[in-house]
Every structure is written in C-alpha cells, then in structure tokens.
Amino acid sequence: MKQKKSRDKEGMPQTLSSTSMFTPCGFSPHLHTSKEGEQGGLIFQDGNLTSASLDALIQHLIPTTDYYPEKAYIFTFLLSSRLFIEPHELLSRVCHKCIEQQRLDDPVLDKARIRKFGPKILQLLTEWTETFPYDFQEERMIGHLKDMIHRIAPCDEAYWKKMNQLLQALNQKLATLSHGQEGILKISTAVSDKLVAFKTKPPSIQREILSVCSDPYTLAQQLTHVELERLSHIGPEEFVQAFVHKDPLDGTKTCFSEQKKTSNLEAYVKWFNRLCYLVATEICMPAKKKQRAQVIEFFIDVARECFNIGNFNSLMAIISGMNMSPVSRLKKTWSKVKTAKFFILEHQMDPTGNFYNYRTALRGAAHRSLTAHSNREKIVIPFFSLLIKDIYFLNEGCANRLPNGHVNFEKFLELAKQVGEFITWKQVECPFEQDPNIIHYLHTAPIFTEDGLYLASYESESPENQTEKDRWKSLRSTILGKT
C-alpha cells in the first residue's frame, strides 16, 4: 500500500487555494447596462455591476411599473444581502419603498398603475420564497408579505388567488424541509458512533455491509440517494451564513447574531465523516485477511460506480476511509487486493494542483448534466468539503465592503455563480429505486472511533514497531480492560 500525502484527522484532504469555474444554467453573471460608470448609485465596469451602496442595491431590487430586476441580480443580492441586513429588515424596506413609490397609502389607488406594478412585485416575492424559503420561517416575513399583497389586492381579484398559491407552495416547501430535517435529527440521535467491545463478543452482533448489500452498483445508487436527500435540505444562504462576521458599518452586532443557521450544511459534513469511518470500520472488522481484502475490493467497485454516476462526495469519503492509517497499515491485507483500480480512483481525487484531476472530472459531469436527457445523466454531487473551502477562500480573499463603504458586488457575483450552480445540482431527483434496508444500515450501523479503528487494525495485523506496540498496549487496556 503506497504512502499517502498527509491528511487531517477526519481523513479529509487539505485544500490549497480557491478557483471557480462555472456558470450555472439560468445564471448569467453579467448584469448589462448600456452605460459605463455610475447609474443611480450603481457602479458599472465593462457592462457589469461592480459596487454600490446598500441603499442603491436595495433600490435596484425593487420593481416598478416598467422595470423588473434581472434574475441573476435578484439571486445574487438576496444571497449576499444577509451579510449586511437581516432578511426581515430587507423585506420591510422593500415593502416600505414600494408603498411610497406606488402611493399605496393613498385613499384612492391608481388602479391602472397598480395593475402594471402588481404582477412584478408578486413575481419578486415568489422568487424570494422559492429560492430562500428558510427566510420565511419568521412570522415577521410572512407579515410583510401579506401586508404588501393586501394593499394591491383591491385593484385585482387575481392577486388574492396569487397570494394563496404563493403561501400554500411556501408552507408545503417548509413542511417538506422540516420533515426531512427531523428525519436526519432522529437518525443522528439514534446512532451510537462508538463500537468499543471489539472482538470480545461474537461477530454476529455486528452485521457487515456485504450481508446487507453485496452488489457495488446498488450500494453506489443508495449512497447517491442519501447524498441527494441531504443536499435537498441545504439552503443557498447557509454558504453565506457560515462566514458571517461583523459588518464594519454596524459596530454593534453581526447579522444573525442569535444563530448561524447552518445546521443542514453541518449535518451534511457529518455524513461525509460518518461514511469515511463506516468504510474504515467495515474493512478493519473482519478477523480474516481474505475477508478484509474482499471488503476493500467491494468498496473500490462502489467508489468506481460513484465516479461514473457523478457522486464525487461519496467517492471521496470512500477513498478517505480507505486511506485512514488504521486501514492503510494493513499491508498483508492489501497484498491480496487488486489495487490497479484503486490507484486510478486515487489519481482522480489527488489533491495535487488544487485537485486539478477532480475539478476536470467535475467539469465533465457538469457539462453532461447541462445536456442531459435523463435524471441519471443530470447527477452532479460535488466533493462538498472542497466546495465549502472554495467559497471560504473566495469570502476571505476579498472584502465585503470597499474603502468607500460600498458593497463589493463583484465578489458576490462570483459567490452567486458557485452557489447558484450547486442549487441547480441539488434539485435533481434521484432516478434510482430506494432500498430502505441499505439506507437504514448506512445511517445506523455502529462505527469505530479512531481508537477503536486502531485497536481493530492491530488485532488484525500485529504492530510493526515500538510506537505501534505501545499504542496497542494502551488501547487494549483502555478499551478492552486487558493488560
């Protein structure tokens, strides 16, 4: 077994720097204007909006009788604005400006004017609720939304119907997301992440993966189910909220001071770590070398199928699990494995050149997804920790505000490009039939702690040097109570 580059404790490769490559379908980063320079407080360069004051950006979001903001602008601003202003405050300001500009407080409303404006504000509210539903878990948000529609509804009966449809769709979406979150929470609390009494009880207490699923294709498909299910709960705003700092223009608090609101994103990273440890546990558990080699070969085939499907997150978790020290030290076991396929996969996910090979494969999968005729070809599940690190480096590398106090909109267009593409990918419906047994096993099978893995590894293949011997001795006494 060849030596690997150093990895951190979770078995995750280190990222070197950030690059971004994509424009998601339906997202154009260019917000064109015929003029260069300044326009309504917005600064343009080469036809692209580069910076503006927060007030000017809010004004640019607000529809009028003859203006509606570009889709790309709406997504970018709603995504990034939360670094400067909380969503309920933003919606309050939008509604207030609309009331002012369209004179919605007048005793007699200008119906002809409002019929031109109505569909546009409804469209904006619909886009907001569809893309950032979690914002509307707050009562205040629903209050502003209803107030706005109540003001325009007297001018057209159809607006009431629209409001009901919008609220129904929103409630349904929030209920689905909440149900999914509860399921994940239940799984997390039910799972004991420790299995310490290794080899002191008969092996029958622990089922192993091959007795649950012996077909690598099926397991790769079920892993893809788990990935897409968990991805579906992550809101685009979580990527931004993960990096909320103090806004330099507001010395008192950060936005979202009560909580970071990144629980789905964190749960997904935990799933990656669990899969790493599950793979390592399954390999270290069998008493016989031949069985361990069989499990390794099985996981190599699963990983290869994940690669073919476009499920890079499971692929990387499997490779990371196989590269954990307790597994990679099992030299006698690895000598029984046909490793050629494994080295090809490792090469694909090699961190060298800022994961150049992986990024090339991801680009290929993204391209396939854009021209796909079936959901099977649309699947793109990126290596998630790297995606977060890319966004982190983009965030850290550029200031949110320019020295003149303007919002650095150029940075947020880049951010929206990366997050927007992810949003497209996470909406793919899994085309494979679900197997509840396998999925239950993936979520609940006991896994060893790092110490448990080392002990299992030493029990399988004896320590080779004094350091390993000392560690084995110490683990036997702490875990098994033996001397």
Side-chain angles (χ1 to χ4, degrees), residues 127-194:
E127 283 192 44
W128 194 335
T129 55
E130 281 175 355
T131 316
F132 298 92
Y134 288 120
D135 286 353
F136 292 85
Q137 283 174 316
E138 276 197 67
E139 271 306 306
R140 289 179 287 192
M141 292 289 283
I142 301 288
H144 294 315
L145 191 147
K146 284 181 174 171
D147 175 59
M148 190 70 236
I149 295 169
H150 277 257
R151 286 171 185 274
I152 61 171
C155 298
D156 196 326
E157 278 297 303
Y159 297 160
W160 292 113
K161 193 180 167 190
K162 267 281 192 200
M163 176 173 87
N164 286 328
Q165 285 172 340
L166 189 152
L167 288 173
Q168 250 178 325
L170 177 63
N171 285 334
Q172 209 173 346
K173 196 156 193 177
L174 285 172
T176 308
L177 290 167
S178 156
H179 180 70
Q181 281 177 310
E182 279 164 25
I184 284 172
L185 200 67
K186 267 186 202 154
I187 286 164
S188 303
T189 46
V191 168
S192 149
D193 275 357
K194 291 175 184 173

Side-chain angles (χ1 to χ4, degrees), residues 462-474:
S462 303
E464 291 203 330
N465 55 42
Q466 199 50 51
T467 313
E468 287 194 343
K469 280 175 188 162
D470 293 344
R471 185 163 191 186
W472 186 27
K473 203 172 168 186
S474 145

Side-chain angles (χ1 to χ4, degrees), residues 343-407:
F343 292 146
I344 290 167
L345 289 170
E346 261 196 326
H347 179 66
Q348 283 295 348
M349 303 308 273
D350 185 348
T352 309
N354 191 18
F355 288 89
Y356 178 81
N357 297 340
Y358 157 68
R359 291 182 191 278
T360 306
L362 181 69
R363 252 201 313 266
H367 184 70
R368 177 184 73 183
S369 177
L370 285 175
T371 55
H373 299 296
S374 68
N375 275 352
R376 171 74 173 75
E377 294 170 310
K378 276 184 193 164
I379 297 169
V380 184
I381 301 169
F383 169 32
F384 196 65
S385 300
L386 187 57
L387 177 68
I388 292 176
K389 282 175 183 172
D390 281 353
I391 290 171
Y392 174 78
F393 282 120
L394 170 63
N395 188 64
E396 290 296 299
C398 310
N400 291 339
R401 295 222 189 230
L402 301 174
N404 65 359
H406 273 194
V407 170

Side-chain angles (χ1 to χ4, degrees), residues 64-78:
T64 63
T65 51
D66 53 6
Y67 164 75
Y68 188 76
E70 285 192 28
K71 209 176 172 67
Y73 177 77
I74 296 170
F75 178 69
T76 305
F77 184 62
L78 290 179

Side-chain angles (χ1 to χ4, degrees), residues 304-315:
R304 194 162 66 154
E305 187 52 22
C306 285
F307 179 83
N308 293 338
I309 289 171
N311 176 359
F312 297 104
N313 203 52
S314 291
L315 164 64

Side-chain angles (χ1 to χ4, degrees), residues 34-68:
S34 52
K35 295 179 190 170
E36 296 300 298
E38 188 168 347
Q39 189 183 323
L42 305 170
I43 309 295
F44 288 89
Q45 209 177 345
D46 301 330
N48 296 327
L49 174 55
T50 56
S51 73
S53 68
L54 186 59
D55 283 343
L57 291 169
I58 293 173
Q59 187 58 57
H60 195 54
L61 180 72
I62 295 166
T64 63
T65 51
D66 53 6
Y67 164 75
Y68 188 76

